[in-house]
Amino acid sequence: MSIPSINPELEALGLSRDLRPKASAQQELGAEAFLKLMITQFRNQDPFKPLESGEFLGQLAQFGTVSGLTELKQEFQGLARSLVSNQALQASSLLGRDVLVARPTGYLAAGGTVSGAVDLPSAAQQGRGQGVTPAGAVVRSFELGPQGAGLARFSWDGVADDGSVMPEGAYTFRAQAISGASQAAVQALIAAPVESVTMGGGQAGLSLTLRGLGEVPFGDVRQIG
């Protein structure tokens, strides 16, 4: 019995009789194309070398995997949409609230204050901080006293060490933890009110616009007031 070298159905799928994709064929098959391919293979198999049961079961297993992955992808897409909607609803409650973010620079408004915290990884005999202008000049030094591990709060009213009132603008805060003869730089965090919430796509996720600080990722928030 002669076996046709190629079947029109196989050719329509871009496959030769040995089921290998042509160079220009699409490399990924959907569930429907996979089923057509399997049926076409059964129709054109060599009658003297029928498909063994193990190979047949393997074909069915592959088909089940393709279908299962498609359904799983749809379920995850639905879950992602639900999570985004829930996140947006929760984020709306942040408007107007103060959040503490991992940013060393805060904005001093006229007649206002800048609040923040120093993140101490371990207890310190003494905590020390400085307020610095954009030009790098130290205008305010403050002592935090003995502190345990965690967040040590501070607040600055804009009055410099010499008693003058500093103009409004951005100021950077840096801090040190002192234990005996050891001194280590520690992270300063700034508190600011939330003015708006942005739901980003892809990896951007949720971001907050803070007064005087601009837009920051929600992942940088350490504490919500």
Side-chain angles (χ1 to χ4, degrees):
M1 176 186 295
S2 62
I3 300 174
S5 59
I6 193 162
N7 185 282
E9 296 176 78
L10 286 172
E11 189 173 22
L13 290 171
L15 298 164
S16 61
R17 181 175 173 274
D18 61 1
L19 305 183
R20 288 176 298 183
K22 292 182 179 179
S24 61
Q26 183 178 357
Q27 297 300 312
E28 296 183 2
L29 294 178
E32 183 178 355
F34 185 90
L35 182 58
K36 289 181 179 180
L37 172 61
M38 186 171 63
I39 294 174
T40 303
Q41 181 182 6
F42 293 153
R43 289 176 178 173
N44 293 274
Q45 65 179 326
D46 190 337
F48 297 104
K49 295 180 181 179
L51 192 67
E52 295 182 0
S53 59
E55 296 178 0
F56 176 72
L57 292 175
Q59 295 271 7
L60 292 179
Q62 292 178 34
F63 175 72
T65 300
V66 171
S67 300
L69 290 176
T70 300
E71 295 174 0
L72 186 61
K73 180 181 179 181
Q74 294 172 348
E75 291 293 333
F76 273 119
Q77 288 175 341
L79 178 61
R81 287 191 293 268
S82 177
L83 290 175
V84 169
S85 299
N86 186 54
Q87 189 181 43
L89 181 62
Q90 293 179 340
S92 64
S93 65
L94 296 176
L95 295 176
R97 302 182 65 177
D98 283 347
V99 295
L100 191 66
V101 294
R103 291 286 190 280
T105 301
Y107 187 82
L108 176 67
T113 61
V114 178
S115 299
V118 174
D119 188 6
L120 297 170
S122 59
Q125 295 176 350
Q126 177 68 30
R128 182 176 298 162
Q130 294 178 324
V132 183
T133 67
V138 177
V139 294
R140 178 66 175 174
S141 299
F142 49 93
E143 303 292 337
L144 298 175
Q147 297 288 337
L151 299 177
R153 293 278 183 170
F154 68 84
S155 181
W156 181 45
D157 58 4
V159 178
D161 288 335
D162 61 5
S164 62
V165 177
M166 299 302 299
E168 64 177 310
Y171 293 86
T172 299
F173 294 83
R174 56 195 185 195
Q176 289 181 325
I178 304 171
S179 295
S182 175
Q183 298 185 11
V186 291
Q187 185 179 26
L189 303 96
I190 297 299
V194 178
E195 293 186 327
S196 65
V197 178
T198 302
M199 299 297 298
Q203 297 181 351
L206 178 67
S207 62
L208 308 177
T209 300
L210 307 182
R211 185 180 304 166
L213 299 183
E215 188 172 339
V216 299
F218 184 73
D220 287 349
V221 175
R222 290 288 303 277
Q223 194 175 78
I224 300 174

